Amino acid sequence: MISRINVFEKNQGVLKALSSLQMYLGKSPIEKNLLHLLYFRVSQLNGCAFCLDMHSKDLRAAGESEQRLYMISAWDEAPVYTERERAAIAWAEAVTRLGREGVPDNVYERALRSFTEDELIDLTVAVIAINSYNRINVAFRTPSGHYQPGQFQAH
C-alpha cells in the first residue's frame, strides 16, 4: 500500500478540529475502555488498519483481554461483554452504518436502557470522531503497524 497525503502533517487545522472532539470525550463519564472498544469495532467496520493497530494496542496496554478483542466481531453472541457494552456497540454500528431508516428504534431503546441521554449523546460524538479518523486514514492510506501504546493522548 502506498500512502498518500499525511493529512495531519499537511493540515494542522484538521488535527486541531478532531482533537477538540477527543478533549470533549476525555471529560465524558463513559468508561475510557468502552470508548476504545467502540473505536476498535467501528474501525473494523470501516477497514481502518491504522486505527485497529492503535486501539488494539491501547486496549491491551490498559488490561483488555485478547479474548474480548478477538470476539468483538461477534459481540452480541459472546458472553464476555456486558449488556452496557453490547448496547454501546449496537449503537455505534447503527450510527456508522446509517441506512434509509436511520438508527432503528430497538437499537435506540436498548441504548437508553444502559445509558443516560447525555451519555448517549457522548457515544454518538465518539462514533462521529472515530468515523472521521477512519475515513481520513483509509482515504489517504495512513501506514499502520508502527503505533506505540499511548503515542497519542486520545483518539
Side-chain angles (χ1 to χ4, degrees):
M1 177 179 79
I2 298 171
S3 63
R4 296 175 175 162
I5 300 167
N6 184 328
V7 175
F8 302 113
E9 284 182 7
K10 182 74 174 169
N11 187 332
Q12 289 293 307
V14 171
L15 183 58
K16 185 177 180 181
L18 289 174
S19 293
S20 67
L21 289 176
Q22 293 309 127
M23 288 179 8
Y24 170 81
L25 291 168
K27 298 173 185 171
S28 173
I30 298 172
E31 308 87 89
K32 300 308 172 228
N33 269 19
L34 176 54
L35 290 175
H36 281 284
L37 276 175
L38 292 183
Y39 300 154
F40 184 72
R41 179 62 183 140
V42 170
S43 297
Q44 281 183 325
L45 297 175
N46 291 326
C48 183
F50 181 85
C51 290
L52 285 168
D53 182 48
M54 175 179 18
H55 295 294
S56 65
K57 289 175 179 174
D58 283 343
L59 280 161
R60 287 180 20 233
E64 189 61 71
S65 74
E66 294 289 322
Q67 180 186 29
R68 285 170 44 92
L69 292 178
Y70 298 150
M71 296 178 77
I72 199 163
S73 63
W75 59 267
D76 211 19
E77 299 173 20
V80 297
Y81 301 101
T82 66
E83 179 51 33
R84 181 174 169 89
E85 291 168 331
R86 287 186 178 106
I89 295 168
W91 181 259
E93 286 188 2
V95 171
T96 296
R97 296 174 166 162
L98 285 175
R100 287 183 184 257
E101 77 281 353
V103 176
D105 289 340
N106 65 324
V107 174
Y108 174 72
E109 291 159 7
R110 183 180 192 178
L112 279 181
R113 286 192 298 272
S114 293
F115 295 93
T116 66
E117 289 179 352
D118 286 339
E119 288 174 328
L120 192 53
I121 292 168
D122 286 357
L123 281 176
T124 306
V125 170
V127 175
I128 291 166
I130 192 60
N131 272 289
S132 296
Y133 281 111
N134 288 167
R135 279 150 178 73
I136 288 170
N137 289 322
V138 170
F140 293 104
R141 298 180 179 163
T142 303
S144 61
H146 299 73
Y147 180 80
Q148 298 297 313
Q151 182 175 334
F152 302 123
Q153 283 292 80
H155 279 101

